[in-house]
Amino acid sequence: MTITLDSLEPALSVRQVLTLERVLAGEPEVVAGASHLDRPVRWVHVAEAADVGVMLSGGEMVLTTGVLLAGDEDKQAEYVRSLHRAEAAAVVLGLGRAFPAAPDVMRRAAERCGLPMVVLHRPFPFAELTEEVQSRLVRRKFAAVSLSEAVRTELTALITAGAPLQRLLDEVARHSACPVVVTNLAHRVLGTAGERPAVDDVLRDWERIARQAGGTEGDGWIRAELGGRGERWGRIVLCGYRGDTATGRLLADRAAEALILHRMLAGGASCSWEEQSAQSLLTDLVSGVVPARQLLPRARAAGLPVNRRTFVPLVVRDGDPARLERLLRLLGLPGLVAELADGATAVLLSLPRDQDAGALAAHFAARLRTETGPDHTVVAAAEARAAWDDVPTGLREAQHVADAVADSSAVLDLPPVVRLKDVHLRGLIRLLRDDPHVQSFAERELDGLLRETDEDLLSVLRTYLATGRNKSRTAQLHHVSRPALYRRLEAIQVRLGVDLDDFEQAASVHIALLAHDAQQQ
């Protein structure tokens, strides 16, 4: 889209013009159309001709003494009607030369048309008014164009540098000094920027507010559409912009240009911004840095049902987020999906309270395993939460369970949905892995193997202990013969100075190995 100087809406309304010091010197009085004083004034035009309307293009404040209208009421009425047809902003009549007071015919016609009519009671040089208003309009228009180019330059530089969507929105919010929201066509929030309390106020009842403000740009709500090649896919909204409408619209248009370019350069993935939005929300929930209650408006605006719901926190190991999104839609399960660190993907289900959360989680896991194979996916879950404030604890619990079985799914017989009770000692060690005493214990117990970093013997030991010291199963998993396995177990015992047939010594080595593995992750 191209914005030129002529296309910019002026920044002064009729009401604002009437408050200028030079205008006040003429003692202005509004005699008709008082409810339309917020009309924008595009230009000021001095005209005495009775058919002045044919020379206007709309938005002009017309100044006249009425010398060519005196004594002819038909001309007076037609003069006002022609201004109305030309969509003039207002008519200002200087009293004295032709009329000692506002003509009733003109006043009534202006009131019927809704055209603001102002009379000046003191002699007033029209040249001063035109100079004052038009210089202000030109200055503001050029200031708006300068701002437009500055914003365009800054956003383009950010895109060129590979900045993420959030960085662009932060820059737009800085220039607009109001909350900025990006949504898809269903009003689902994909990104926000601005002062957090103000953003939360906007998001608290976002769907109602967005639909209510969808048709007009009142109260500083300014929108620009996002899309390309004849297809719209979203919009950016400046929420409660307090500057001139023209400048706000220009900012929104410049931001839209940048966001469209950003999406094109990112490959145009249709749900990439949805994924980023969900990732930001779930990451904040898991970290606990932001209280859950403060994140509730963001969750609601992102399309997650939150009223009278049961929340099921899941973490899927080696799960493709796009596949998980498709599966949720296929099963009709409302939820958010976001990729976390280290190959883990968080899934937060939001279910009606009358549904069996455990059964639905199990069904989700079973369908996922059917698609990916039982050896490729681990679905870890926390107990369902009835309160939103408990969701962060649940997500961390699910992540802990997923981490605890990250390297053991091949040797442990795991259920479709793994919970805290299924990880036993491994889960406890995972929680204690950063304790210095546990670290020292692991190094001391495994010193004979760690000193030479024999990964093959460590792998055999890991499998042997995880299978409950089952030699046949261990040999099978490592594709070696029983005699070869015996030789390796003998070498392990010699290096560690332990007897693995002794339960207490084997348990001690097992705990140390679990702690060592947890510290490496």
Side-chain angles (χ1 to χ4, degrees), residues 125-209:
F126 283 168
E128 291 188 11
L129 176 57
T130 57
E131 178 186 6
E132 175 76 12
V133 174
Q134 290 174 189
S135 64
R136 285 174 179 260
L137 292 176
V138 170
R139 286 199 303 270
R140 294 195 182 197
K141 285 184 177 181
F142 275 110
V145 171
S146 298
L147 174 63
S148 167
E149 291 308 310
V151 171
R152 170 185 279 167
T153 300
E154 292 173 10
L155 295 181
T156 301
L158 289 174
I159 294 172
T160 303
L165 171 65
Q166 187 60 53
R167 183 68 184 86
L168 268 65
L169 296 183
D170 289 341
E171 191 67 18
V172 176
R174 184 177 71 82
H175 282 288
S176 62
C178 69
V180 175
V181 178
V182 175
T183 77
N184 61 15
L185 296 182
H187 302 292
R188 177 175 175 180
V189 174
L190 308 181
T192 63
E195 294 292 333
R196 180 48 54 188
V199 172
D200 287 345
D201 285 343
V202 169
L203 296 183
R204 194 158 285 113
D205 196 13
W206 169 254
E207 186 170 351
R208 181 189 63 80
I209 293 174

Side-chain angles (χ1 to χ4, degrees), residues 468-485:
R469 295 183 293 173
N470 186 320
K471 294 184 176 65
S472 298
R473 179 63 174 156
T474 302
Q476 180 184 17
L477 289 172
H478 283 270
H479 308 289
V480 298
S481 64
R482 291 283 292 270
L485 176 65

Side-chain angles (χ1 to χ4, degrees), residues 208 290 454 458:
R208 181 189 63 80
V290 182
D454 193 327
L458 272 174

Side-chain angles (χ1 to χ4, degrees), residues 105-444:
V105 172
M106 292 184 67
R107 184 179 54 78
R108 288 195 298 269
E111 191 65 46
R112 283 195 298 271
C113 293
L115 177 71
M117 180 175 176
V118 181
V119 296
L120 300 176
H121 290 279
R122 292 176 62 84
F124 183 82
F126 283 168
E128 291 188 11
L129 176 57
T130 57
E131 178 186 6
E132 175 76 12
V133 174
Q134 290 174 189
S135 64
R136 285 174 179 260
L137 292 176
V138 170
R139 286 199 303 270
R140 294 195 182 197
K141 285 184 177 181
F142 275 110
V145 171
S146 298
L147 174 63
S148 167
E149 291 308 310
V151 171
R152 170 185 279 167
T153 300
E154 292 173 10
L155 295 181
T156 301
L158 289 174
I159 294 172
T160 303
L165 171 65
Q166 187 60 53
R167 183 68 184 86
L168 268 65
L169 296 183
D170 289 341
E171 191 67 18
V172 176
R174 184 177 71 82
H175 282 288
S176 62
C178 69
V180 175
V181 178
V182 175
T183 77
N184 61 15
L185 296 182
H187 302 292
R188 177 175 175 180
V189 174
L190 308 181
T192 63
E195 294 292 333
R196 180 48 54 188
V199 172
D200 287 345
D201 285 343
V202 169
L203 296 183
R204 194 158 285 113
D205 196 13
W206 169 254
E207 186 170 351
R208 181 189 63 80
I209 293 174
R211 294 187 186 280
Q212 182 175 326
T216 63
E217 289 192 342
D219 298 325
W221 283 68
I222 301 175
R223 298 169 307 286
E225 300 299 325
L226 303 175
R229 299 178 182 177
E231 179 184 4
R232 293 189 303 119
W233 39 264
R235 58 178 58 89
I236 181 169
V237 187
L238 306 186
C239 307
Y241 179 73
R242 296 307 176 193
D244 299 321
T245 300
T247 305
R249 186 175 297 121
L250 186 148
L251 279 172
D253 287 340
R254 286 291 182 250
E257 289 177 355
L259 296 186
I260 292 169
L261 177 60
H262 182 277
R263 184 173 182 268
M264 290 173 58
L265 294 178
S270 61
C271 63
S272 61
W273 288 359
E274 283 87 346
E275 291 174 354
Q276 291 179 36
S277 175
Q279 183 175 26
S280 173
L281 173 60
L282 291 184
T283 299
D284 285 346
L285 279 169
V286 171
S287 69
V289 174
V290 182
R293 189 162 297 279
Q294 293 183 22
L295 297 173
L296 189 58
R298 286 171 58 188
R300 184 182 289 110
L304 185 73
V306 295
N307 294 329
R308 296 182 296 278
R309 309 291 286 191
T310 296
F311 303 100
V312 182
L314 306 173
V315 171
V316 180
R317 274 285 171 190
D318 301 321
D320 175 36
R323 181 194 296 273
L324 297 175
E325 284 271 14
R326 287 194 299 271
L327 184 56
L328 287 183
R329 289 195 295 269
L330 179 65
L331 299 178
L333 297 176
L336 295 178
V337 176
E339 188 172 6
L340 304 177
D342 302 325
T345 301
V347 179
L348 179 60
L349 302 181
S350 175
L351 307 174
R353 290 185 175 175
D354 59 353
Q355 293 186 346
D356 188 335
L360 287 174
H363 182 52
F364 170 79
R367 287 294 298 268
L368 182 60
R369 283 196 166 198
T370 299
E371 292 188 10
T372 61
D375 296 332
H376 293 86
T377 303
V378 173
V379 179
E383 294 302 320
R385 261 59 178 179
W388 173 258
D389 287 348
D390 295 333
V391 168
T393 303
L395 283 169
R396 288 192 290 271
E397 179 183 316
Q399 187 175 35
H400 163 66
V401 173
D403 290 342
V405 298
D407 294 325
S408 58
S409 58
V411 295
L412 294 181
D413 185 17
L414 297 174
V417 178
V418 187
R419 302 185 185 277
L420 193 58
K421 63 183 180 60
D422 300 314
V423 295
H424 306 296
L425 179 61
R426 190 177 300 272
L428 176 63
I429 295 299
R430 183 81 188 186
L431 287 175
L432 300 176
R433 64 176 178 173
D434 294 326
D435 187 293
H437 298 293
V438 174
Q439 293 173 353
S440 297
F441 170 76
E443 293 175 3
R444 184 171 62 252

Side-chain angles (χ1 to χ4, degrees), residues 20-66:
L20 297 178
E21 186 175 351
R22 288 192 179 183
V23 180
L24 291 174
E27 296 183 7
E29 177 189 2
V30 179
V31 296
S35 60
H36 300 277
L37 295 181
D38 291 321
R39 284 183 175 178
V41 175
R42 187 182 62 82
W43 210 241
V44 178
H45 191 70
V46 180
E48 301 290 353
D51 58 348
V52 64
V54 299
M55 297 182 287
L56 305 180
S57 58
E60 295 90 351
M61 174 178 277
V62 178
L63 311 180
T64 183
T65 61

